Structures are given as structure tokens and as C-alpha cells.
């Protein structure tokens, strides 16, 4: 998801704009039902990928409020370009908006405070990627009798957004086979550690990619699982990469693995200083539940705990003839991480509260 297109639209009653300023301030303490309803309309259109409807909600000129308070001018065309990227054929974005405040302004505009959470997803499988959350503040006004978004101020986990941007830029440069661009994304003393433990340093990393582009024509799909800022100012971000394509000899290539990158800032730009790759470990857990909906709610609430334990992704399925028999296939960077997670004393109690019946079957698998 691009940050500039994470917007929402809502309306205030026309009578609110006609009230004295003190009355508008008083009424703004409660949420306007019409505003909440329009927020839901925006959310529904976004999650359906309904770009034509979304574009009716923006003014011709849109301003983006920067963290320092300055405003960068933009256009409706800029917004639509972001939607085109978001509503791709292979991946999409999903968002939940909540209106937390509405405030009428003296000039007739309305300022809206919201919170938002969401994620990207793979359309074919439904697998969720790149979770994100934050707050948004919109300024809307009437244009031709309709409410239009004219200004947006957002505040999110900036480090998470920056790491996602770094990851996506790496993916794009790799898939375009642009070794020169990749070079700008690594520090001069960067270290790359392959799955077999061999290391490549500095300029040799770019030589490795350059030779790889000659040896094969592959597409790299990179997902971001977790972002962990460090006390020294660096950031560790982890995820999964999947390569598909053909070698120069015509042999089919299908390869996947886990990565852990350390990023540092140089002259205001994030660069990768450490890239460690490892085999992708899959864990399968199967168990009976008393009620799937109740269990799934608890499973989702435990999301952060699973991510912090090192889970990179998780896919939930049920048996075709038994909707309360659940199987979860999760992906990890090492076999030790799921073993430690499944051994946690609080996990058994959490599963019991969520309605798990009997002892789960757990398998940890390494692809050969």
C-alpha cells in the first residue's frame, strides 16, 4: 500500500456548517452519523478496488501534509496513479478505517481524524503481507455541492513504511535486472550471507547479482513480515523471497527462502548493511476447535505474538468435510523459532481459551 493513497472520505451535515463556531465545536465532540456512513462507503470501494468511485471523492488539487507541517501540492492524477499500483492483478490492499473525531472549520471545511489498519494480500491465495497501522487526518470541503478531499495528513509507523519502500525498490530493481540501482541500496561494506553460510562482501555483492542476471531470467517476489528498529538506529526487517523463472539453459527455477536484512541510514537514505538468507521452514499445526469463528478471532488477536516469535507468514485452512478441524501452515526462518513458540506455556492456555479441543498435531518441515 502506498501511503499517499490511504485516505478516507466522510461528510458533515450541511446545517453543521451553518452553525456558529462555538456550536460546531460542541457538536464535533460526537461523531456525525453521515460522516461515519460515508467512511464505510469509502472503505468498501477501496477494498473492492473500485477506482472510479474513489476518484469521485477527491478534489482536482490535493495537498499532502508533511511531518514538519509543510504541504506538498498534488493532483487527482497522482492519487489515481497510486490506486493503479494498489489494485494490481497479483496483489491488492485492504484497510479498515475508524472515525475518531470530526470538526467543522470556520471556512466551511471539515477536519476528520481517523485511525486505519490494513495489509497487502496476494489475490490468488489470499495470503496477507505487510501489515500496517496508523492515524489519518483529512480536510474536506464542498465542490459543486459534493464533499471532496483536499488535504491529507497521515502519521504511521514511519520506519515500517520506509522498510517496505526499501524492500519494494529492491524487488523492482532486481526484476528489471538493474545492478547499478541495486548498488545504491547497499553500504560499501555490506555483507551478504547465503543459505550455505558463504559470505560475499562489498562490491562483490553487486558482481554476484550481475552474474545472476546473466545466468537466469527470474522474477523475485519479496514479502515483508516484521520490522524491528534497533537502539543503535539501525533496523532489522525480515520476510520471504520467492524466485521463479528459467536458467540461461532453459531449466525451470523455483526457489524460496527467508531473509533478514539490517538497514542503516547513510546521508538520509536507508541502505542494506547485512543480508542473511536461510532456508524456509514450514510448520503445520492441526487441531479440532469448538467453534471456528471464535477460534479465528483469538488466532488473529495473537498476531503480534506470532510475528515477534519469528513467524513470517501463516495460512489457515479447514477440512472440507469438517469446518471445525483447523490446519495452520506457517513459515519461519529456522526450525528453532517454531519449536520455541509451540513450547511456550501461555500458548497452551491461549489455545484452550480459544476453544481448541484435544492435543494439537505439530509438524516442522524443511524443504529439500
Amino acid at each position: 500500500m502506498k501511503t499517499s493513497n490511504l485516505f478516507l472520505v466522510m461528510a458533515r451535515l450541511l446545517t453543521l456548517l451553518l452553525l456558529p463556531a462555538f456550536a460546531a465545536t460542541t457538536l464535533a465532540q460526537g461523531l456525525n452519523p453521515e460522516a461515519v456512513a460515508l467512511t464505510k462507503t469509502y472503505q468498501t470501494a477501496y477494498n473492492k478496488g473500485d477506482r472510479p468511485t474513489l476518484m469521485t471523492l477527491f478534489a482536482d488539487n490535493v495537498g499532502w501534509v508533511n511531518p514538519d507541517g509543510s504541504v506538498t501540492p498534488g493532483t487527482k492524477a497522482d492519487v489515481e496513479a497510486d490506486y493503479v499500483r494498489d489494485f494490481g492483478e497479483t496483489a491488492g490492499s485492504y484497510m479498515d478505517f475508524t472515525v475518531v473525531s470530526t470538526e467543522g472549520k470556520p471556512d466551511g471545511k471539515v477536519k476528520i481524524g481517523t485511525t486505519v489498519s490494513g495489509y497487502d494480500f496476494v489475490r490468488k491465495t489470499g495470503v496477507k503481507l505487510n501489515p500496517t497501522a496508523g492515524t489519518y487526518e483529512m480536510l474536506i470541503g464542498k465542490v459543486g455541492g459534493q464533499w471532496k478531499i483536499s488535504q491529507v495528513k497521515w502519521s504511521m509507523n514511519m520506519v515500517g513504511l520506509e522498510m517496505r519502500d526499501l524492500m519494494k525498490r529492491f524487488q523492482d530493481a532486481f526484476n528489471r535486472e538493474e545492478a547499478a540501482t541495486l548498488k545504491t541500496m547497499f553500504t560499501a561494506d555490506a555483507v551478504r550471507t547465503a543459505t550455505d553460510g558463504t559470505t560475499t562482501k562489498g562490491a562483490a555483492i553487486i558482481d554476484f547479482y550481475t552474474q545472476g542476471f546473466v545466468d537466469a531470467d527470474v522474477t523475485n517476489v519479496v514479502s515483508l513480515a516484521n520490522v524491528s528498529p534497533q537502539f543503535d538506529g539501525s533496523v532489522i526487517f525480515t520476510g520471504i523471497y520467492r524466485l521463479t523463472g528459467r536458467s540461461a539453459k532453459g531449466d525451470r527455477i523455483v526457489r524460496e527462502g527467508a531473509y533478514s536484512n539490517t538497514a542503516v541510514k547513510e546521508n538520509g537514505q536507508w541502505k542494506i548493511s547485512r543480508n542473511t538468507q536461510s532456508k524456509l521452514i514450514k510448520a503445520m499445526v492441526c487441531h479440532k476447535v469448538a467453534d471456528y469463528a471464535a477460534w479465528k478471532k483469538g488466532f488473529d488477536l495473537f498476531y503480534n505474538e506470532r510475528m515477534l516469535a519469528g513467524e513470517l507468514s501463516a495460512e489457515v485452512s479447514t477440512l472440507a468435510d469438517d469446518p471445525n478441524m483447523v490446519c495452520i501452515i506457517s513459515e519461519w526462518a529456522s526450525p528453532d523459532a517454531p519449536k520455541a513458540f509451540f513450547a511456550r506455556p501461555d500458548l497452551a492456555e491461549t489455545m484452550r481459551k480459544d476453544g481448541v479441543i484435544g492435543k494439537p498435531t505439530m509438524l516442522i518441515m524443511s524443504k529439500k
Side-chain angles (χ1 to χ4, degrees):
M1 291 179 290
K2 304 295 287 185
T3 58
S4 61
N5 68 345
L6 297 179
F7 316 123
L8 106 99
V9 68
M10 59 187 71
R12 297 265 310 157
L13 292 173
L14 182 60
T15 53
L16 174 61
L17 301 179
L18 300 177
L19 294 174
F22 73 90
T25 302
T26 301
L27 291 178
Q29 295 174 1
L31 297 180
N32 186 299
E34 185 181 7
V36 175
L38 287 176
T39 300
K40 184 64 176 178
T41 299
Y42 177 93
Q43 177 178 302
T44 300
Y46 183 91
N47 292 336
K48 287 183 177 180
D50 184 358
R51 195 167 77 245
T53 296
L54 290 169
M55 295 315 301
T56 66
L57 307 179
F58 287 88
D60 291 337
N61 297 304
V62 183
W64 320 114
V65 182
N66 302 311
D68 63 2
S70 62
V71 178
T72 299
T75 67
K76 182 186 289 189
D78 297 328
V79 177
E80 185 164 24
D82 278 336
Y83 284 137
V84 170
R85 284 189 290 268
D86 273 12
F87 305 148
E89 293 183 3
T90 59
S93 298
Y94 178 89
M95 293 188 293
D96 280 317
F97 293 98
T98 301
V99 183
V100 296
S101 65
T102 56
E103 179 185 351
K105 308 300 288 184
D107 61 359
K109 294 184 178 181
V110 178
K111 183 171 72 174
I112 307 128
T114 74
T115 60
V116 60
S117 63
Y119 52 82
D120 296 336
F121 62 90
V122 180
R123 294 191 184 281
K124 185 175 181 180
T125 63
V127 173
K128 299 176 183 178
L129 308 170
N130 310 327
T132 190
T135 60
Y136 288 81
E137 184 179 281
M138 273 68 63
L139 190 65
I140 63 173
K142 281 285 185 76
V143 178
Q146 287 187 308
W147 289 109
K148 303 283 185 178
I149 300 171
S150 61
Q151 188 170 288
V152 178
K153 177 181 179 181
W154 52 267
S155 177
M156 297 181 68
N157 181 347
M158 288 300 298
V159 172
L161 291 172
E162 290 166 347
M163 292 307 103
R164 179 189 296 182
D165 177 67
L166 179 61
M167 176 269 295
K168 287 188 174 181
R169 287 191 291 112
F170 174 90
Q171 175 182 280
D172 291 344
F174 183 98
N175 290 334
R176 291 193 299 263
E177 299 188 351
E178 295 178 352
T181 301
L182 291 174
K183 183 178 181 179
T184 67
M185 302 175 67
F186 286 87
T187 62
D189 60 351
V191 177
R192 178 184 183 274
T193 303
T195 55
D196 62 1
T198 59
T199 59
T200 309
K201 300 180 180 180
I205 295 176
I206 307 306
D207 294 338
F208 169 83
Y209 286 121
T210 301
Q211 186 59 49
F213 297 149
V214 174
D215 294 339
D217 182 12
V218 296
T219 297
N220 192 5
V221 177
V222 187
S223 65
L224 180 64
N226 196 23
V227 176
S228 300
Q230 305 297 299
F231 287 109
D232 62 0
S234 67
V235 178
I236 296 175
F237 63 102
T238 62
I240 299 169
Y241 67 89
R242 291 184 168 89
L243 297 169
T244 57
R246 298 280 179 179
S247 70
K249 297 179 179 180
D251 297 327
R252 185 167 179 256
I253 296 175
V254 178
R255 191 181 308 153
E256 62 182 8
Y259 71 84
S260 177
N261 287 341
T262 299
V264 298
K265 264 194 175 179
E266 285 189 352
N267 299 321
Q269 180 180 350
W270 285 108
K271 295 188 177 185
I272 299 170
S273 63
R274 295 291 184 273
N275 168 241
T276 302
Q277 301 186 6
S278 58
K279 291 183 178 180
L280 195 60
I281 301 298
K282 296 192 178 185
M284 182 172 68
V285 179
C286 297
H287 53 62
K288 187 87 170 181
V289 297
D291 178 80
Y292 175 79
W295 170 84
K296 185 61 164 57
K297 182 178 180 180
F299 179 79
D300 291 341
L301 289 174
F302 214 60
Y303 173 81
N304 285 338
E305 292 294 326
R306 293 186 282 111
M307 291 297 102
L308 291 174
E311 183 188 87
L312 301 175
S313 73
E315 183 176 345
V316 177
S317 300
T318 60
L319 296 186
D321 57 354
D322 187 352
N324 286 326
M325 188 65 188
V326 179
C327 289
I328 308 105
I329 298 178
S330 54
E331 295 176 310
W332 308 74
S334 76
D336 293 335
K339 288 178 182 177
F341 177 69
F342 296 142
R344 285 174 49 164
D346 62 330
L347 181 60
E349 177 62 17
T350 298
M351 294 174 72
R352 185 191 65 79
K353 290 180 179 179
D354 291 340
V356 174
I357 300 172
K359 185 177 181 180
T361 298
M362 301 182 183
L363 299 173
I364 297 177
M365 301 164 286
S366 178
K367 188 174 182 180
K368 301 299 183 182

